[in-house]
Amino acid sequence: AWADPKACYVWGLVYHANGSERYQDVGLVKVDMCVEGEDEATVTVYQRNNQFTGEPVFVKNPEGTQEDDGTLLVVSRDADSDETALLAIDARTLEVVARMVAPFTTPFEFHGGFFPN
């Protein structure tokens, strides 16, 4: 992750994303905490209906110059098809840039990590 004590961005999970009443509508949030007002923050949400979204793992772009220049690796599970996939999500925009379907199903809230070497 970014090692700057003045970091602005935080990524995490949100249950009942976008006000959904369904537990399985888990989303990712990106919070920009470097805004003018003390009680304000800019929040961006990634969410798909009936998708259990796991915790994001931030992988910094080694050539990046911005704090949020990188990729979020996220294990997801589709509640309808019971399909597990690894999502690569642009950390800046929260847009999916790649989706790799696993040949097996993982339990919800499967934990992972990224180790560059």
Side-chain angles (χ1 to χ4, degrees):
W2 195 262
D4 185 338
K6 298 175 277 186
C8 291
Y9 300 107
V10 175
W11 294 269
L13 293 178
V14 61
Y15 293 87
H16 305 284
N18 293 321
S20 173
E21 294 181 9
R22 298 177 304 188
Y23 179 75
Q24 65 266 31
D25 290 341
V26 182
L28 295 178
V29 291
K30 174 185 177 184
V31 181
D32 179 353
M33 300 184 306
C34 293
V35 292
E36 295 296 320
E38 186 177 304
D39 294 328
E40 299 177 17
T42 302
V43 177
T44 306
V45 178
Y46 163 84
Q47 183 265 327
R48 300 294 178 266
N49 289 336
N50 292 323
Q51 179 176 295
F52 292 100
T53 304
E55 62 188 10
V57 176
F58 180 75
V59 180
K60 182 174 175 24
N61 178 349
E63 298 175 6
T65 58
Q66 301 296 314
E67 176 186 349
D68 60 350
D69 190 356
T71 302
L72 300 174
L73 298 179
V74 178
V75 175
S76 70
R77 185 171 176 183
D78 187 291
D80 295 323
S81 68
D82 206 29
E83 181 178 82
T84 296
L86 176 65
L87 306 178
I89 298 176
D90 185 308
R92 183 171 295 155
T93 64
L94 294 190
E95 293 179 13
V96 176
V97 295
R99 182 176 184 274
M100 290 75 53
V101 176
F104 50 82
T105 301
T106 60
F108 175 55
E109 295 182 348
F110 180 81
H111 298 284
F114 173 78
F115 305 95
N117 291 322

